[in-house]
Amino acid sequence: MLTPQQTQSILQLLHEQVVPAIGCTEPAAVALCVAQARQLLDRKPEKVELWLSANILKNAMGVGIPGTHRVGLPIAIALGVLIGRPERQLEVLADTTPEAVQQAEQYINEGHISIHLEENDPDKLYIRALVSAGDTDAEAIIKGSHTHFVMQRAPGQQPQTVDSQQPEVHGQQSAATTMCPPDLNMRTVYDFASTTPIDDLRFILEAKRLNEAAAADGLRENRGHQLGKTMCSPLGKGIMGDGIFAKILSKTSCACDARMSGAMVSVMTNSGSGNQGICTTMPVVVFAEENHNTEEELIRALTLSNLTAIYIKQQLGTLSALCGCVVASTGSSVGITMLMGGDYEQICFSVKNMIANLTGMICDGAKPSCSLKLTTGVGTAVMSAMMAMQHKYVSALEGIIDDDVDQSIRNLVAIGGRGMDATDRCVLDIMTHKGNNPNPTKH
């Protein structure tokens, strides 16, 4: 049984890690950092310099920027300078208009922006923005998570070290954890989702509302690779049918199609990623609807799904060489297992099945084809849950799976973290040396 303090700590963690965002979180975080530095400068900068970690650069190169019909970092940076509102956090570019896009294009063409690869700071999530006008400059640094400002400097002042999820200049209360982060394991995650008073968890339904709206947009419009729409077409239904499995795949990929192509829609994120938020939410929502689960059952399953992903990402790190769908679809698998009536043992079986199958899928940046990976992850999630309900699971005699579910997760983290570092560098090298790279760096 969890103590009241443990319950409150986990609730706070959920509120911090399940938040709305418009567009991909990496270019949004870059725009946020630029907008904050520009606000400190208090004038339109003549020069904007960015130093970005390799993982930030990788995840911002090929993704659509909402409201622009453009791809990549320069347009996000220019809009952060011109219309960015840092108090909106990862919805910093919510005020984007066609006129703002035209002004941003002109700003880019005038050569105000330069992007560099940060090679000295080891953090995989690092953004430094230096803006200047004449002999006056200001800067801001985000590090560790997408809204975590660690340094700000106004003109004529010494750098101020901060530790806040909100830009300090606004005088807002920090969203950074005010109590010790909870020590999670799968048992704690399951007990929290199963026993916390339902009214304390009801906020998770906002993830359902936002991500369902994104899925509806992806079905209505021709977004990205139109994977979700293709599966809903007569051809798709003729091949895949119109059952629960097909609906889970199509609605999840519709939401991803919309987000990755730059639709001006908010999605609920998980651990700093909109795709992870979609992946932890939509399969669980669709299964609950088709299976006629109660609202309370849905809330608890969504909580289990999201908290499982957060638990794994806390160990793996916000950004890594491992595709986030591996983690997020593990969350959706345990959520679906709960909706099927599975107990703690069966939920652990589904985790092991997921790790045995998907470990090693690379992250090669945020982009429209992420919908393909989400569909792969979600398909595996459903199969893993079905196996778990029949008490069929990958045992410790096989590969990286351990008898202990938490050790199995640590094995996944070890491979996705230090084990794939060389893979990460190789992927970035390939991406930055392609002839059509829209995000040139100087380093």
Side-chain angles (χ1 to χ4, degrees):
M1 181 67 68
L2 300 180
T3 68
Q5 184 178 12
Q6 285 178 305
T7 299
Q8 287 304 309
S9 182
I10 296 172
L11 270 174
Q12 182 166 331
L13 179 66
L14 269 171
H15 280 289
E16 290 170 5
Q17 297 297 327
V18 180
V19 297
I22 293 177
C24 179
T25 49
E26 276 72 50
V30 174
L32 172 63
C33 195
V34 170
Q36 177 62 14
R38 186 254 186 267
Q39 189 172 88
L40 290 165
L41 186 68
D42 200 27
R43 68 190 73 178
K44 184 178 177 180
E46 299 165 1
K47 186 176 182 181
V48 180
E49 288 192 89
L50 274 297
W51 287 263
L52 307 175
S53 61
N55 286 77
I56 287 287
L57 186 62
K58 179 181 72 174
N59 280 334
M61 287 173 61
V63 69
I65 307 303
T68 70
H69 302 290
R70 309 290 192 279
V71 170
L73 276 169
I75 191 69
I77 293 166
L79 287 169
V81 168
L82 298 174
I83 56 95
R85 293 175 57 189
E87 70 274 10
R88 296 291 299 271
Q89 298 282 75
L90 294 178
E91 296 178 302
V92 60
L93 300 183
D95 293 339
T96 298
T97 63
E99 293 75 22
V101 174
Q102 288 183 351
Q103 294 170 14
E105 291 280 12
Q106 181 179 348
Y107 193 79
I108 293 167
N109 293 335
E110 291 170 352
H112 297 288
I113 298 170
S114 60
I115 303 169
H116 311 271
L117 177 63
E118 172 58 44
E119 297 181 297
N120 296 319
D121 194 290
D123 202 299
K124 292 187 177 183
L125 199 164
Y126 180 92
I127 305 164
R128 178 187 172 212
L130 176 64
V131 299
S132 59
D135 58 358
T136 302
D137 61 19
E139 65 180 314
I141 296 175
I142 287 175
K143 182 175 176 177
S145 64
H146 293 81
T147 59
H148 186 215
F149 282 86
V150 297
M151 192 281 284
Q152 299 176 44
R153 179 176 59 80
Q157 296 183 10
Q158 292 296 314
Q160 293 186 353
T161 301
V162 295
D163 187 16
S164 173
Q165 300 279 26
Q166 292 273 8
E168 223 176 50
V169 70
H170 299 292
Q172 298 179 1
Q173 179 67 34
S174 167
T177 304
T178 55
M179 60 180 72
C180 292
D183 184 15
L184 296 179
N185 54 47
M186 274 311 299
R187 182 83 237 187
T188 302
V189 168
Y190 175 79
D191 287 347
F192 175 87
S194 302
T195 63
T196 300
I198 198 66
D199 286 342
D200 290 341
L201 304 177
R202 200 171 295 278
F203 73 92
I204 206 73
L205 289 176
E206 182 67 3
K208 172 182 181 292
R209 186 186 72 81
L210 289 179
N211 295 345
E212 279 188 322
D217 179 277
L219 181 60
R220 182 174 60 250
E221 307 293 338
N222 293 328
R223 303 289 193 189
H225 294 296
Q226 303 172 43
L227 176 60
K229 200 165 186 175
T230 298
M231 286 191 282
C232 291
S233 69
L235 173 64
K237 289 183 178 181
I239 294 171
M240 299 187 65
D242 195 27
I244 297 176
F245 185 66
K247 289 178 181 178
I248 287 173
L249 297 185
S250 63
K251 289 194 176 182
T252 302
S253 53
C254 273
C256 184
D257 285 332
R259 178 175 179 266
M260 290 288 93
S261 66
M264 185 60 84
V265 295
S266 291
V267 301
M268 191 65 81
T269 68
N270 181 291
S271 304
S273 167
N275 281 351
Q276 287 170 200
I278 289 167
C279 197
T280 56
T281 301
M282 290 308 300
V284 178
V285 167
V286 175
F287 185 88
E289 180 179 346
E290 294 294 317
N291 197 47
H292 303 290
N293 289 98
T294 66
E295 183 178 76
E296 177 171 346
E297 288 170 339
L298 171 61
I299 290 171
R300 295 198 182 280
L302 283 173
T303 301
L304 179 64
S305 176
N306 278 274
L307 190 56
T308 297
I310 291 168
Y311 162 43
I312 300 173
K313 289 294 287 186
Q314 275 194 316
Q315 301 177 67
L316 182 62
T318 305
L319 299 178
S320 74
L322 188 71
C323 179
C325 82
V326 176
V327 175
S329 57
T330 300
S332 62
S333 187
V334 299
I336 291 170
T337 304
M338 176 179 268
L339 291 173
M340 289 178 172
D343 58 18
Y344 175 70
E345 182 183 42
Q346 291 163 313
I347 280 164
C348 292
F349 293 163
S350 67
V351 172
K352 293 178 182 181
N353 291 339
M354 291 296 293
I355 293 172
N357 193 334
L358 288 182
T359 298
M361 182 185 287
I362 64 166
C363 171
D364 56 343
K367 59 210 174 301
S369 61
C370 285
S371 60
L372 292 165
K373 294 188 177 185
L374 256 66
T375 303
T376 297
V378 170
T380 304
V382 176
M383 290 187 290
S384 295
M386 291 168 58
M387 287 178 62
M389 291 303 296
Q390 299 298 315
H391 286 257
K392 294 179 172 62
Y393 63 97
V394 180
S395 73
L397 298 175
E398 305 171 71
I400 64 170
I401 301 304
D402 193 276
D403 283 328
D404 180 77
V405 67
D406 296 292
Q407 184 59 51
S408 296
I409 289 171
R410 288 191 288 272
N411 295 343
L412 166 69
V413 168
I415 292 170
R418 66 179 186 272
M420 295 178 68
D421 277 343
T423 301
D424 215 15
R425 291 190 295 271
C426 181
V427 168
L428 182 68
D429 184 64
I430 291 170
M431 291 175 65
T432 54
H433 287 86
K434 292 193 296 185
N436 62 345
N437 174 21
N439 303 275
T441 59
K442 301 175 183 178
H443 58 279

